[in-house]
């Protein structure tokens, strides 16, 4: 039993604060009122603190060895957009009650040959016929996947089969069609695809002459920093009619744009990541060589404009990071940078926070998450400063509540497994995959 006393409680709908007490029992908010007295409850004095819901990162690729970085940064729920349900099942079953965040996950991504990520493994499969498309969806359904993920090299015919099969099981379909030459955002929407990760396919729909493999003169002809708003609005109208949801992952693009001048911050999570030097070794070489700057980075302003216009038109736009892809997409902290980029795109601090809390929860169809209300899950951040005054204040976490317990950032960082522990864990995982006939690489 927990009793949070005298905190400035943020109403996520109105943006108003009210000094309230919050009584929590078994990870559920049981009572919100002033001057509560609950015998036997552990009291946390929140005087002078700001209380907001735990944050939700709607696009990650999470692994055990960096899962606790998310919770240390106040991200209490993540949407894992391709991975392995077999690998993540213990964390999915925990449902946010342990150190790791709550995980909503797809299984392996469904791509087309030869596969952007190579041959079939536990994390990706290349589909080239109708029967295999149906079998793979059914396999993922049996494993317990929360949604299905398709990738850009999957042929349109088989992509449509995947969508149809997923709908039979009432599962949504997420798509990353950044590298697709034949399927744009409107095509995906007409198929019944629910999610455009990275806002992918919209640029192809606006400028049909452009694909990822277009020659330089085509790339140079696109007004990346000042897109044609009439074209954009026309595409957005068609997506809105199909209720397509966008996860723009602005931080992925922006870190690529910045390259060696990447965003970072003086934070204990960054310090811990740097000390654990076996993690994320691919980041620095990518920054130094500016790999991705002329492809991903150049799209940053375009993606921000797409997100803001679609949001203003009434579309669903949520916060995500693609951690640990690209460069310096710090687990957990990258979402705080994403909030900053949302505000830079035109969202108010409250609107940005809504996309990382209540609206993300609605998009996940979890009706008791993302707000601080009675009968809701008690994922709560206790902040030292007001995030509506300055969005960067979301990083100033005094402590957080999840799973019915109170945690400090330091406590969660101390639970990060060592390299030796991860070696044992990974060897056991490889053996498990091999028993199932699944390759890891």
């Amino acid at each position: 039993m927990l009793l949070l006393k005298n905190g400035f409680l943020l109403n996520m709908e109105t943006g108003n604060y009210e000094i309230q007490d919050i009584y929590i029992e078994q990870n559920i908010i049981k009572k919100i009122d002033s001057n509560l007295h609950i015998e036997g409850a552990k009291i946390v004095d929140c005087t002078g603190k700001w209380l907001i819901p735990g944050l939700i990162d709607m696009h990650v690729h999470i692994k055990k060895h960096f899962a606790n970085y998310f919770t240390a940064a106040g991200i209490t729920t993540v949407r894992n957009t391709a991975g392995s349900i077999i690998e993540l099942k213990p964390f999915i079953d925990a449902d946010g009650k342990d150190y790791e965040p709550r995980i909503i996950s797809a299984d392996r991504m469904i791509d087309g040959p030869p596969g952007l990520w190579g041959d079939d493994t536990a994390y990706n499969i290349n589909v080239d016929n109708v029967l295999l498309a149906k079998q793979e969806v059914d396999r993922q359904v049996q494993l317990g996947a929360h949604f299905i993920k398709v990738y850009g090299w999957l042929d349109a015919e088989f992509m449509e089969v995947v969508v149809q099969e997923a709908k039979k099981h009432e599962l949504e379909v997420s798509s990353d069609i950044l590298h697709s030459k034949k399927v744009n955002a409107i095509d995906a929407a007409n198929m019944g695809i629910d999610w455009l990760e990275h806002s992918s396919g919209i640029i192809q729909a606006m400028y049909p002459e452009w694909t990822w493999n277009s020659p330089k003169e085509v790339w140079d002809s696109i007004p990346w920093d000042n897109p044609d708003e009439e074209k954009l609005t026309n595409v957005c109208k068609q997506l809105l009619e199909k209720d397509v949801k966008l996860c723009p992952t602005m931080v992925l693009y922006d870190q690529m744009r910045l390259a060696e001048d990447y965003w970072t911050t003086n934070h204990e999570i960054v310090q811990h990541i740097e000390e654990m030097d076996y993690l994320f070794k691919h980041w620095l070489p990518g920054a130094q060589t500016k790999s991705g700057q002329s492809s991903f980075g150049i799209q940053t302003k375009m993606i921000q404009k797409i997100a803001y216009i679609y949001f203003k038109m009434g579309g669903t736009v949520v916060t995500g990071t693609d951690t640990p892809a690209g460069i310096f997409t710090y687990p957990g902290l990258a979402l705080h940078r994403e909030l900053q980029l949302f505000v830079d795109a035109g969202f108010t601090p409250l609107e940005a926070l809504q996309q990382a809390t209540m609206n993300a929860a609605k998009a996940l169809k979890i009706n008791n998450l993302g707000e601080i209300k009675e009968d809701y899950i008690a994922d709560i951040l206790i902040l030292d400063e007001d995030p509506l005054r300055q969005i960067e204040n979301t990083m100033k976490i005094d402590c957080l509540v999840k799973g019915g317990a109170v945690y400090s950032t330091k406590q969660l960082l101390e639970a990060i497994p060592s390299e030796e522990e991860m070696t044992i864990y990974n060897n056991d995982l490889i053996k498990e995959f091999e028993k199932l006939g699944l390759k890891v690489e």
Side-chain angles (χ1 to χ4, degrees):
M1 298 188 296
L2 284 174
L3 183 59
L4 310 183
K5 296 285 292 183
N6 300 318
F8 294 112
L9 172 57
L10 177 60
N11 183 315
M12 291 308 304
E13 295 178 354
T14 66
N16 295 326
Y17 287 105
E18 188 173 0
I19 296 177
Q20 293 280 36
D21 297 346
I22 305 171
Y23 171 54
I24 299 164
E25 188 176 310
Q26 295 182 340
N27 199 33
I28 299 295
I29 299 170
K30 292 294 186 179
K31 185 74 174 175
I32 298 176
D33 208 338
S34 57
N35 298 315
L36 285 177
H37 298 281
I38 307 294
E39 187 173 349
K42 176 183 177 179
I43 295 175
V44 179
D45 184 8
C46 299
T47 302
K49 306 292 183 181
W50 282 260
L51 277 55
I52 67 171
L55 301 175
I56 303 173
D57 191 329
M58 292 290 282
H59 189 130
V60 307
H61 299 281
I62 195 169
K63 297 281 188 180
K64 176 181 173 65
H65 59 288
F66 56 86
N68 291 355
Y69 286 122
F70 286 100
T71 41
I75 285 70
T76 52
T77 299
V78 299
R79 175 173 167 267
N80 191 69
T81 55
S84 169
I85 294 293
I86 296 166
E87 177 180 349
L88 295 176
K89 192 174 189 307
F91 314 118
I92 293 171
D93 290 346
D95 195 29
K97 295 182 178 66
D98 292 333
Y99 286 155
E100 298 83 10
R102 180 177 300 99
I103 298 177
I104 311 300
S105 187
D107 193 55
R108 61 182 176 179
M109 64 181 73
I110 303 176
D111 201 2
L116 190 66
W117 299 102
D119 294 334
D120 297 355
T121 70
Y123 303 105
N124 63 287
I125 183 172
N126 300 318
V127 167
D128 60 1
N129 65 76
V130 170
L131 180 59
L132 183 56
K134 290 182 177 181
Q135 288 176 338
E136 179 59 22
V137 172
D138 291 344
R139 187 193 73 84
Q140 295 192 18
V141 168
Q142 294 303 313
L143 279 176
H146 296 107
F147 61 99
I148 306 296
K149 170 76 174 289
V150 296
Y151 222 62
W153 286 6
L154 181 63
D155 187 88
E157 175 189 357
F158 309 131
M159 193 177 289
E160 193 159 8
V161 171
V162 168
V163 173
Q164 291 171 353
E165 198 68 18
K167 298 303 180 185
K168 291 179 184 177
H169 300 282
E170 299 183 342
L171 291 186
E172 292 190 333
V173 178
S174 153
S175 69
D176 175 350
I177 50 176
L178 280 172
H179 296 90
S180 180
K181 297 178 182 178
K182 297 180 180 178
V183 178
N184 65 31
I186 295 171
D187 298 326
N190 289 335
M191 284 183 197
I193 284 175
D194 303 279
W195 287 89
L196 296 176
E197 308 300 334
H198 317 299
S199 296
S200 59
I202 294 177
I203 299 172
Q204 291 99 313
M206 293 170 61
Y207 303 101
E209 69 277 13
W210 177 84
T211 69
W212 206 272
N213 294 318
S214 293
K216 184 178 184 299
E217 56 266 26
V218 176
W219 279 81
D220 291 344
S221 71
I222 306 295
W224 296 107
D225 289 347
N226 189 27
D228 186 319
E229 291 199 18
E230 184 177 351
K231 288 182 178 181
L232 175 52
T233 300
N234 180 53
V235 172
C236 287
K237 282 180 180 177
Q238 295 178 72
L239 299 181
L240 203 52
E241 289 172 1
K242 301 291 185 178
D243 195 26
V244 173
K245 296 179 273 285
L246 304 186
C247 188
T249 62
M250 297 176 193
V251 65
L252 173 71
Y253 292 96
D254 196 54
Q255 291 290 67
M256 294 284 206
R257 178 184 68 85
L258 295 170
E260 286 184 285
D261 297 320
Y262 60 87
W263 174 88
T264 189
T265 182
N266 182 22
H267 196 284
E268 57 191 309
I269 292 176
V270 172
Q271 295 166 3
H272 196 279
I273 289 173
E274 290 174 347
E275 290 168 4
M276 303 285 277
D277 62 0
Y278 73 95
L279 297 175
F280 317 123
K281 290 184 177 180
H282 66 286
W283 283 349
L284 188 56
Q288 291 174 336
T289 60
K290 303 183 188 298
S291 62
Q293 189 174 54
S294 61
S295 52
F296 274 99
I298 198 173
Q299 299 182 50
T300 303
K301 295 299 181 183
M302 177 88 75
I303 296 301
Q304 287 184 295
K305 178 71 76 172
I306 288 169
Y308 185 66
I309 286 181
Y310 194 59
F311 166 72
K312 283 300 182 181
M313 291 175 66
T316 298
V317 182
V318 295
T319 55
T321 63
D322 205 12
T323 299
I327 58 172
F328 295 96
T329 49
Y330 300 106
L333 286 182
L335 190 75
H336 295 274
R337 176 57 176 166
E338 183 77 358
L339 290 170
Q340 295 170 26
L341 290 167
F342 263 63
V343 171
D344 181 63
F347 293 73
T348 67
L350 177 63
E351 289 169 342
L353 273 177
Q354 287 171 336
Q355 313 324 307
T357 53
M358 58 182 284
N359 289 344
K362 289 174 183 176
L364 291 172
K365 300 178 181 177
I366 304 177
N367 59 14
N368 63 341
L369 183 69
E371 298 184 69
I372 302 177
K373 289 182 174 180
E374 291 181 1
D375 298 322
Y376 272 54
I377 294 170
D379 288 354
I380 299 172
L381 302 192
I382 302 171
L383 304 178
D384 289 326
E385 296 190 37
D386 179 4
L388 299 190
R389 183 177 295 275
Q390 188 173 8
I391 196 64
E392 286 80 1
N393 289 339
T394 58
M395 292 189 289
K396 297 177 180 178
I397 300 171
D398 177 79
C399 59
L400 65 104
V401 176
K402 69 180 292 289
V406 181
Y407 297 99
S408 67
T409 296
K410 180 181 178 182
Q411 184 179 357
L412 291 162
L413 290 177
E414 288 173 348
I416 297 285
S418 67
E419 185 173 5
E420 292 74 21
E421 290 171 324
M422 283 309 306
T423 298
I424 295 170
Y425 173 86
N426 286 330
N427 288 339
D428 290 342
L429 184 62
I430 289 169
K431 290 176 183 177
E432 185 176 357
F433 283 142
E434 287 175 343
K435 287 178 184 177
L436 297 170
L438 296 169
K439 296 178 181 178
V440 178
E441 296 181 352

